[in-house]
Amino acid sequence: MPLRETLAQVDADLAAGRVPVARQRLRGLISSFPHDLTLRRRLAEVYQLYGDAAEAGRWMYLEEDRNDDETAAFEARYESPGRRMKALAWQGPEAKAATAFAKEQLVAVRTACAEGLGHPVDWDNPASYQGDLEGEYEAPSERWTVGGVLAGVGCLGAALVFLAIWVNGLVALFD
């Protein structure tokens, strides 16, 4: 699906309360368009709906107007430069960054990782910074938030409605 159509679907998903679906669509778009800061900002906004400061900070990390608390939460969750490199999901050289600030952030993370490992690292070669990822687990460590719980309850409710419709359809087939 082309970018514009997918973004329209993201808007429709959000309007219908399908926040997890919108999040997944945006994650897919970022993997296809890793240099598009607008997509990263949109994904950060979705994580703000969940109340997940670390993930909001992750996707706003390359923006100059980022929230300091969210940035600190991202840096705490992804403590090492190698984990930050992996989490940022950047591809290609920093020169592809749309802003000078984004380029500076990317260079700073890559440089810190290279200095810590004692050899050059490359955004396109995760094996080059793999040594900084050893023994670290990426599961979120923050407490549940009201927004996150409400989103989960909403998903569960939608699944139950779908299941009820499906069961009623089966019952109608056998009546």
Side-chain angles (χ1 to χ4, degrees), residues 10-173:
V10 166
D11 291 338
D13 291 334
L14 290 172
R18 296 185 302 262
V19 178
V21 175
R23 178 180 52 89
Q24 284 305 110
R25 287 186 203 281
L26 286 166
R27 294 285 301 261
L29 285 174
I30 289 171
S31 69
S32 297
F33 304 97
H35 310 122
D36 190 330
L37 298 181
T38 304
L39 296 174
R40 290 171 179 268
R41 179 180 291 273
R42 297 270 319 262
L43 184 54
E45 292 167 355
V46 169
Y47 276 109
Q48 289 167 343
L49 293 174
Y50 280 112
D52 190 335
E55 289 302 304
R58 171 185 182 183
W59 298 108
M60 282 294 289
Y61 198 70
L62 303 179
E63 296 285 357
E64 195 163 7
D65 64 339
R66 65 194 187 179
N67 176 293
D68 291 338
D69 292 334
E70 291 173 349
T71 299
F74 165 67
E75 290 174 340
R77 181 175 293 170
Y78 298 91
E79 293 175 343
S80 71
R83 289 194 70 209
R84 289 182 194 146
M85 282 185 74
K86 182 178 178 186
L88 289 172
W90 187 260
Q91 296 172 13
E94 292 95 0
K96 291 187 175 186
T99 66
F101 183 83
K103 181 180 177 181
E104 289 170 13
Q105 289 301 111
L106 292 165
V107 168
V109 170
R110 183 182 48 77
T111 301
C113 186
E115 288 173 354
L117 292 172
H119 62 79
V121 296
D122 186 321
W123 290 102
D124 292 331
N125 182 9
S128 70
Y129 54 87
Q130 194 71 32
D132 202 30
L133 305 176
E134 302 274 325
E136 295 187 20
Y137 179 64
E138 284 194 39
S141 59
E142 292 186 3
R143 295 177 179 216
W144 289 11
T145 63
V146 172
V149 170
L150 291 176
V153 168
C155 291
L156 178 61
L160 291 174
V161 168
F162 175 77
L163 181 62
I165 292 169
W166 181 73
V167 168
N168 284 337
L170 283 177
V171 169
L173 279 174

